[in-house]
Amino acid sequence: MKITSKPGNGNKVHIYIDNEYTLTLYDDFWYRSGYSEGQKISDDELASLKEEAGFRSAYEKGIKYLSMRAYSERELYNKLKMKFGDDASRRAVDKMLRLGYINDEEFCREYAKYLFEVKKYDIKRISYELKSKGIDSEIADNTLKTLDNEPIQRIIDMLRSKYERNLETEKDRKRLVNRFIRMGYSYRDIKDAFYEVGVEMPQ
């Protein structure tokens, strides 16, 4: 089989085998690969080239994702796997772990802080969200212990500020109770908070 190339968009190069398009590579990877125009390539060499190209593409895409926001290890792996498959994605994520670009403990601390302080979620909902990102249970539990959680007081604070206008009708209060439940608060804590602010619980 004969390998040839044509320039693609940006820093991409299109690779052809016996004049048939086969794959696209980053130009620096192609120029370092050791292959030259019209060179013969075996099936095993082509398979190896495809494998390395997949890994490089997965790695570059992973770096792009991380430039936009933080990811947990499993979350990023699952996102890459949908496009690049298991092996390339695993290699890419392992490299990013070695380089310190992914750190589940740091991600867990920052994400839990965001959910607690900005979204106002209760511990139960935060725990669910962390574990849905693939965070190890021990890491998640240790992080949750650092949060100064007083659920009843947190609900009271929200009732007196953010949701003060949602207490007028039975329908409004019922919606608000459901909202708090979705945020992870227990029905008992919600009931106690309503009592503390002198608001009747919906039936």
Side-chain angles (χ1 to χ4, degrees):
M1 298 184 297
K2 184 173 68 174
I3 186 169
T4 54
S5 66
K6 292 181 181 179
N9 294 326
N11 61 339
K12 302 293 182 64
V13 174
H14 300 311
I15 303 302
Y16 294 77
I17 301 297
D18 292 337
N19 297 317
E20 182 177 340
Y21 171 76
T22 304
L23 74 160
T24 297
L25 306 175
Y26 287 95
D27 54 8
D28 61 335
F29 175 73
W30 167 242
Y31 297 136
R32 293 200 314 267
S33 68
Y35 293 101
S36 58
E37 289 293 310
Q39 181 178 340
K40 296 292 184 179
I41 185 171
S42 67
D43 288 335
D44 288 343
E45 289 171 331
L46 179 58
S48 179
L49 185 64
K50 287 181 177 179
E51 181 180 339
E52 290 303 310
F55 157 65
R56 173 66 186 274
S57 295
Y59 178 77
E60 293 291 339
K61 182 63 74 173
I63 293 297
K64 183 177 181 180
Y65 289 148
L66 289 171
S67 72
M68 294 183 281
R69 72 168 178 85
Y71 282 80
S72 68
E73 176 186 349
R74 185 186 296 177
E75 183 187 20
L76 185 58
Y77 165 73
N78 287 338
K79 190 173 180 69
L80 292 173
K81 184 180 177 182
M82 289 189 293
K83 185 172 184 178
F84 301 103
D86 180 65
D87 292 342
S89 300
R90 184 69 263 166
R91 285 183 62 193
V93 168
D94 285 345
K95 181 176 181 179
M96 285 181 273
L97 283 168
R98 291 195 302 272
L99 294 173
Y101 297 159
I102 306 172
N103 184 312
D104 273 3
E105 291 186 5
E106 182 177 329
F107 172 85
C108 185
R109 286 194 301 270
E110 293 301 317
Y111 190 49
K113 181 179 179 181
Y114 166 75
L115 295 176
F116 186 75
E117 297 182 356
V118 178
K119 303 294 285 186
K120 304 296 184 182
Y121 287 171
D122 189 47
I123 295 297
K124 181 180 178 181
R125 175 67 185 273
I126 297 173
S127 176
Y128 169 81
E129 295 293 337
L130 292 175
K131 290 172 184 177
S132 73
K133 298 287 187 182
I135 299 297
D136 177 78
S137 295
E138 183 177 355
I139 294 175
D141 291 344
N142 288 337
T143 298
L144 294 175
K145 290 176 184 177
T146 68
L147 301 178
D148 186 18
N149 189 44
E150 296 182 13
I152 297 175
Q153 186 59 52
R154 281 162 59 79
I155 298 170
I156 291 172
D157 291 342
M158 286 185 278
L159 289 174
R160 289 175 172 167
S161 56
K162 185 176 182 179
Y163 299 119
E164 187 176 14
R165 296 181 180 179
N166 299 84
L167 301 173
E168 296 180 359
T169 69
E170 175 89 359
K171 186 176 182 180
D172 288 338
R173 294 194 297 274
K174 186 172 293 186
R175 287 176 177 171
L176 191 53
V177 168
N178 290 333
R179 180 188 294 269
F180 284 136
I181 289 173
R182 290 194 301 272
M183 293 168 72
Y185 295 97
S186 70
Y187 185 83
R188 182 181 182 85
D189 286 342
I190 298 169
K191 184 178 180 180
D192 289 346
F194 269 60
Y195 175 81
E196 288 294 327
V197 298
V199 176
E200 184 179 354
M201 280 285 284
Q203 298 301 315

